[in-house]
Amino acid sequence: MADNLSEALKTLKLSSADSVEGCLDCLLKALAQNNVETSGKIQEMGVLAMMPALLSAQNSCTPKAANIIAEVAKNEFMRSPCVEAGLIPPLVQLLNCKDQEILLQTGRALGNICYDSHEGRSAVDAAGGAQIVAEHIKSLAESTDPATGKLLTVFCGMLMNYSNDNDSLQAQLIIMGVIPTLVRLLGVHSQNTALTEMCLIAFGNLAELESSKEQFASTNIAEELVRLFRKQVEHEKKEMIFEVLAPLAENDVIKLQLVDAGLVECLLEVVAQTVDSDRDEDVAQLKTSSDLMVLLLLGDESMQKLFEGGKGSVFQRVLSWVPSNNHQLQLAGALAIANFARNDENCIHMVDTGIVQKLLELLDRHVEEGNVTVQHAALSALRNLAIPVVNKSKMLLAGVSDVVLKFLKSEMPPVQFKLLGTLRMLIDTQADAAEQLGTNTKLVERLVEWCEAKDHAGVMGESNRLLSALIRHSKSKNVVRTVIQGGGVKHLVTMATSEHMIMQNEALVALGLIAALDLECAEKDFVGADLVQVLHRLLTEEHSAPEIKYNSMILICSIMGSEPLHKEVQSLAFIDVVSSLRSHENKTVAHQASLTEQRLTAQS
């Protein structure tokens, strides 16, 4: 064979048109037997440079020449040489002919040259090849002839190789309008497995781009994908569809379309079929289905549609996941409740129908050696449910705070963060609960420890906010004393310098209550934390909000009963700063400045 090949290559270089075809047949045969070796010889003998002359619509050898290029371009080392030999412009020219065999081999050649090749893609881009292929696909989309189906598959594959992992080329295809065309193909050619798969891979690539979502939303992609999904029995095929559904379902309009198209019922069916299986592919499908279900609930409209006033069958099915023995379903069930709990009406309904108890039982199962993601999800759900004022007392009566406190020993920042947020929501406006928790020494000690968690800003911020909330909502001297003894004062002073105004305000109000309820006990900590300097800075900073200035002045008045703090206030010439605020544009600030000035003058 090697001798025949060498002979054919030599003949090809010297031959007349008549013997060329025989040489090309010999090359194709050699490539079929050993592609890598034959491709290497083709390159050595300089055959690629002769190919442009064979690539014209009038030449009977053209299909075979294009086929040879397609075959050699299967090898990575041949793609750049194909570009350097100037093969792209004549190949792109061939896309304008009508001969289906030439189009097929040309599409294959261009697709293979583009595969994972920056040079190949750039050359095809420069020659305008993608636009011509996109137009072909559009004009052939409605034809169900088998030969056309094969050509469409090759063309879709070519566009996929051309744009894969390249955002700018994918964006170019989107602008060309390939998405509606590919969606149409999926509808017309749903029986053509190869073409369907090619469309799905193309969708998977394009759906990652934000700019594609609007085009997808204007097609009937949701119906087509759900229809295709229902037909699939093989795990791999379902996975391919899932890979398209996940990025598309991030768009709220498409979420609703998928819900309307019946995707949720399909997902619930997959869950039911796979929940008791321990086969890897079933476990993967269960996870993908339940994750996708949770994703669909992130859209306000799609969520509300599935909630159906708390009577929806989907809502009921998802609730049944919470007590299951499958961690993945427990997780998805808790996350789904958290997503349903995004407005007061839903939250009130869920608390009234006993969902809190289900979540508490779930958390109890995960206290010792628990699953962190399940803990995090269940706490998220409880936090959301605790937002409406009417739910707080009901949830406290149900024992939510007692169960949540079991997770104080957790070393996982995501769990710590949600635990803190849940407690803060629960005690908002609930004085008795705030007093009970605020005098819990273990809780306060843990909060003070987490206030120093500099590696976890979220946990640090939430700890400070809960510390402040315990004081603000209880207004209790016992709570104030517990916080002082636990070393919490310095953290509240630091919190008053936060970049977030809401946190500054919460800190100043809590510090004001500490000063009003137990100044004597807090005095040493106030001095040690440089409270007076902090207040001076807050009052002199121009960009401090009116509320911050107002609460800072209230606090100054509250600490004047302490001799060391009084001396510090005098030494920093507060009276000048306060006096200048009497003309502040905010009337409340200006009025408080007058009162504070009188207080400072009287005590100087």
Side-chain angles (χ1 to χ4, degrees):
M1 186 70 215
D3 293 343
N4 288 357
L5 175 61
S6 301
E7 214 42 53
L9 290 168
K10 282 177 192 156
T11 309
L12 192 58
K13 294 187 83 170
L14 305 167
S15 64
S16 61
D18 298 339
S19 53
V20 166
E21 199 152 349
C23 298
L24 296 178
D25 285 335
C26 184
L27 289 185
L28 284 167
K29 203 169 174 187
L31 284 162
Q33 289 185 350
N34 189 332
N35 193 316
V36 177
E37 192 182 322
T38 306
S39 295
K41 287 214 167 135
I42 286 173
Q43 191 185 359
E44 277 170 41
M45 300 282 288
V47 172
L48 290 179
M50 301 166 59
M51 286 294 176
L54 300 174
L55 298 173
S56 78
Q58 289 74 40
N59 193 327
S60 62
C61 298
T62 295
K64 287 177 182 173
N67 189 356
I68 288 168
I69 297 166
E71 289 300 317
V72 300
K74 286 178 178 177
N75 303 291
E76 191 182 347
F77 69 90
M78 290 299 286
R79 289 170 201 149
S80 290
C82 283
V83 176
E84 287 153 17
L87 300 184
I88 301 294
L91 283 169
V92 169
Q93 273 306 112
L94 287 177
L95 291 171
N96 293 308
C97 81
K98 298 279 185 283
D99 185 297
Q100 224 167 20
E101 182 60 19
I102 291 178
L103 288 173
L104 185 76
Q105 299 304 342
T106 303
R108 286 184 62 235
L110 289 169
N112 290 350
I113 292 170
C114 284
Y115 185 80
D116 227 1
S117 163
H118 174 66
E119 295 85 357
R121 291 169 181 178
S122 297
V124 172
D125 182 20
Q131 180 75 56
I132 304 170
V133 170
E135 283 163 10
H136 271 306
I137 296 173
K138 192 173 184 179
S139 66
L140 296 169
E142 303 296 327
S143 168
T144 51
D145 164 54
T148 306
K150 196 174 176 188
L151 182 57
L152 284 167
T153 306
V154 165
F155 278 163
C156 287
M158 181 258 159
L159 288 184
M160 197 179 67
N161 287 353
Y162 171 71
S163 64
N164 192 28
D165 285 338
N166 186 312
D167 286 1
S168 65
L169 293 180
Q170 286 176 355
Q172 182 194 84
L173 294 184
I174 292 165
I175 292 164
M176 285 177 196
V178 301
I179 288 173
T181 306
L182 292 176
V183 174
R184 185 79 197 104
L185 284 186
L186 204 58
V188 176
H189 300 270
S190 56
Q191 304 304 317
N192 183 333
T193 310
L195 181 52
T196 301
E197 286 185 11
M198 208 54 87
C199 287
L200 288 173
I201 297 167
F203 289 147
N205 291 342
L206 296 171
E208 297 290 344
L209 250 67
E210 207 44 53
S211 60
S212 73
K213 305 287 202 305
E214 211 170 299
Q215 267 200 34
F216 274 119
S218 68
T219 69
N220 63 336
I221 183 77
E223 289 169 40
E224 294 296 357
L225 288 174
V226 171
R227 196 172 56 157
L228 195 61
F229 190 86
R230 283 198 175 108
K231 284 168 46 183
Q232 303 310 320
V233 282
E234 290 174 45
H235 167 72
E236 285 76 16
K237 298 280 168 59
K238 284 183 179 174
E239 277 301 313
M240 284 182 85
I241 301 171
F242 275 139
E243 279 170 25
V244 182
L245 288 169
L248 286 180
E250 286 168 11
N251 176 281
D252 281 0
V253 177
I254 301 174
K255 277 187 182 78
L256 193 57
Q257 291 172 353
L258 289 168
V259 168
D260 288 340
L263 178 61
V264 172
E265 289 72 17
C266 295
L267 297 177
L268 290 171
E269 205 174 305
V270 173
V271 168
Q273 288 165 356
T274 55
V275 65
D276 297 320
S277 169
D278 50 11
R279 284 168 59 208
D280 287 350
E281 60 187 51
D282 287 339
V283 171
Q285 269 196 47
L286 177 75
K287 177 172 173 24
T288 311
S289 300
S290 51
D291 284 350
L292 192 49
M293 184 80 198
V294 171
L295 182 58
L296 291 175
L297 293 173
L298 278 172
D300 287 338
E301 283 187 76
S302 50
M303 177 273 288
Q304 211 52 48
K305 188 169 188 126
L306 294 170
F307 188 66
E308 288 182 65
K311 295 177 177 63
S313 62
V314 172
F315 172 63
Q316 298 300 333
R317 286 278 289 278
V318 169
L319 281 193
S320 73
W321 294 354
V322 177
S324 97
N325 290 319
N326 183 300
H327 281 185
Q328 174 58 34
L329 279 194
Q330 293 171 359
L331 170 65
L335 287 172
I337 292 171
N339 285 346
F340 280 123
R342 286 212 312 280
N343 62 52
D344 283 8
E345 201 180 329
N346 290 7
C347 288
I348 292 165
H349 176 86
M350 287 196 276
V351 167
D352 288 346
T353 50
I355 281 171
V356 169
Q357 208 46 52
K358 280 186 165 65
L359 290 168
L360 295 183
E361 285 163 12
L362 176 61
L363 278 171
D364 264 331
R365 291 165 72 181
H366 286 274
V367 174
E368 302 299 330
E369 303 290 314
N371 181 302
V372 174
T373 52
V374 174
Q375 293 171 359
H376 182 262
L379 288 167
S380 295
L382 287 172
R383 182 199 173 280
N384 288 4
L385 290 170
I387 292 172
V389 176
V390 294
N391 280 358
K392 296 179 195 296
S393 56
K394 293 174 187 173
M395 290 176 71
L396 286 162
L397 274 173
V400 172
S401 58
D402 298 336
V403 175
V404 171
L405 286 172
K406 292 178 184 177
F407 293 90
L408 267 184
K409 57 189 175 186
S410 172
E411 294 303 330
M412 304 305 292
V415 174
Q416 296 167 353
F417 181 74
K418 286 297 176 188
L419 170 157
L420 293 163
T422 305
L423 291 176
R424 188 165 62 78
M425 280 300 156
L426 275 175
I427 61 163
D428 194 358
T429 70
Q430 306 297 304
D432 292 348
E435 167 131 29
Q436 194 185 348
L437 288 171
T439 50
N440 179 327
T441 317
K442 275 190 178 160
L443 170 62
V444 172
E445 281 172 3
R446 196 70 160 133
L447 291 183
V448 169
E449 182 189 329
W450 287 340
C451 283
E452 292 169 3
K454 291 193 169 51
D455 292 342
H456 302 287
V459 172
M460 192 163 81
E462 276 294 339
S463 300
N464 278 302
R465 293 190 75 186
L466 180 53
L467 209 52
S468 155
L470 291 169
I471 295 167
R472 288 182 296 109
H473 296 301
S474 69
K475 298 182 175 59
S476 151
K477 187 168 183 173
N478 291 333
V479 172
V480 165
R481 192 151 283 188
T482 308
V483 171
I484 295 168
Q485 287 167 352
V489 172
K490 64 180 180 186
H491 296 299
L492 291 171
V493 174
T494 304
M495 182 182 168
T497 64
S498 164
E499 59 194 29
H500 304 291
M501 191 190 78
I502 191 164
M503 287 178 68
Q504 285 185 293
N505 235 352
E506 288 172 0
L508 289 168
V509 172
L511 290 166
L513 284 163
I514 292 173
L517 293 167
D518 205 345
L519 180 58
E520 190 184 340
C521 194
E523 181 182 82
K524 193 177 165 193
D525 287 342
F526 280 161
V527 173
D530 294 330
L531 173 64
V532 175
Q533 283 94 319
V534 167
L535 293 174
H536 189 270
R537 197 161 73 242
L538 291 175
L539 286 174
T540 49
E541 277 176 359
E542 272 186 44
H543 63 264
S544 285
E547 303 95 302
I548 303 299
K549 292 192 187 299
Y550 174 81
N551 282 322
S552 296
M553 288 188 283
I554 296 275
L555 186 47
I556 288 163
C557 295
S558 302
I559 60 175
M560 292 302 282
S562 153
E563 195 183 332
L565 293 168
H566 184 180
K567 277 182 181 164
E568 279 191 60
V569 169
Q570 283 182 313
S571 71
L572 281 171
F574 260 85
I575 205 150
D576 300 339
V577 181
V578 171
S579 179
S580 70
L581 290 173
R582 280 168 47 200
S583 56
H584 196 278
E585 59 187 4
N586 183 295
K587 288 193 168 56
T588 314
V589 171
H591 179 62
Q592 185 57 43
S594 296
L595 295 176
T596 307
E597 186 182 30
Q598 288 167 24
R599 180 81 191 267
L600 291 173
T601 309
Q603 290 199 267
S604 60

